[in-house]
Structure formats: structure tokens, C-alpha cells
Amino acid sequence: MPGGCTFTVEVSIIGATPGPACLEPDPSVVLCGPQTYNYFATSISFQSFTASFPLPDRCCINGPAFLSVKLVDSGTCDRTELGIGFEAAQDCISCRSFIAFPFSPPREMCADGWPGNLRQWVDADCCAPVPTVPDTWGRVKGLYR
């Protein structure tokens, strides 16, 4: 589509659960999000684009988890042009990428015959909670005088 188009995605971090061969995404355990974003694709090549979607504050990932990107609405884009980008230089690495369609559980993409893994990543930073230390109210007030 000349001039680009807009579509809507829902981004969240979901939990992981042991599967028969490896950890699998568990959509019933939402760790962060979901956050909804409208994305304007400026290129005609919708199968390869870079987008950045911030997760909500206080999103702390402290164990195995999966990034979930769900197409909510194809918007002004031709649905057949919205594709999935693959790492071109690598073979499919098992247990790394999963895909789910409406009314079906996530399936491991390599086992499903896909040619490569999705190029998606998350930058996360976590801080441990500050412990509550018992003290008197007078001592606390004295710290701020």
C-alpha cells in the first residue's frame, strides 16, 4: 500500500510453563500488560519492520517468560500484506518462537514447519523491592528534619 498504513497490536509479557519438550507460553499468566498500540508502517514491506512498544512501569520479569504480540486490528493495512519477519541467516531454533491462532493454543514454530525464528526482543530492568524496616514514628520524622 503506497504511503503506508496503520494497524493495532496488543503487547504483553506472559508466563512460561513446562511443556513436553521445553518451556511453552502460558497466555493465562499475564505478567505485564497488555498494552495496546497503533503502529504506522511507512514501508510497503510489512514483513520486515522495526517497532518499539514500551511496557508499563513496574513490569518486572524475574523468571522464564515470553513476549506476546497479538494483531488486534489490521486497520488500514491489507491483511494479506501483514506478515511475520524471520531471521534470514539462521535455521529454526526449537523452543524459541511460538505462534497461536484464534481458538488454538500456542504451537512451537519449528515443529510446525516455519523456516526461522521471529526477530523480537525485550529490554527489561528490574529492581528488588525495598524492605520495610520496623522503626518508631519519631525516628522516621527525625530523619527528615
Side-chain angles (χ1 to χ4, degrees):
M1 170 178 283
C5 64
T6 301
F7 58 94
T8 305
V9 294
E10 183 180 271
V11 179
S12 56
I13 303 294
I14 59 175
T17 188
C22 56
L23 290 175
E24 298 180 354
D26 186 351
S28 69
V29 178
V30 179
L31 303 174
C32 303
Q35 296 285 112
T36 303
Y37 299 99
N38 293 320
Y39 183 76
F40 180 72
T42 57
S43 169
I44 293 174
S45 175
F46 299 114
Q47 293 187 357
S48 179
F49 60 88
T50 300
S52 179
F53 305 113
L55 291 170
D57 289 342
R58 300 185 182 267
C59 177
C60 188
I61 306 161
N62 57 11
F66 285 89
L67 169 65
S68 173
V69 180
K70 176 181 174 184
L71 178 65
V72 175
D73 184 7
S74 58
T76 61
C77 300
D78 180 349
R79 195 172 183 93
T80 60
E81 291 179 324
L82 291 172
I84 300 171
F86 294 97
E87 293 178 7
Q90 293 185 4
D91 293 330
C92 203
I93 299 171
S94 295
C95 299
R96 183 176 284 179
S97 302
F98 291 76
I99 191 164
F101 295 99
F103 310 110
S104 71
R107 298 189 314 245
E108 202 276 319
M109 292 180 70
C110 296
D112 223 22
W114 290 78
N117 297 103
L118 300 175
R119 288 187 288 182
Q120 299 175 343
W121 60 92
V122 173
D123 288 330
D125 187 13
C126 290
C127 297
V130 177
T132 304
V133 180
D135 213 336
T136 66
W137 180 241
R139 169 107 170 93
V140 172
K141 288 193 313 187
L143 294 173
Y144 296 98
R145 288 186 180 193

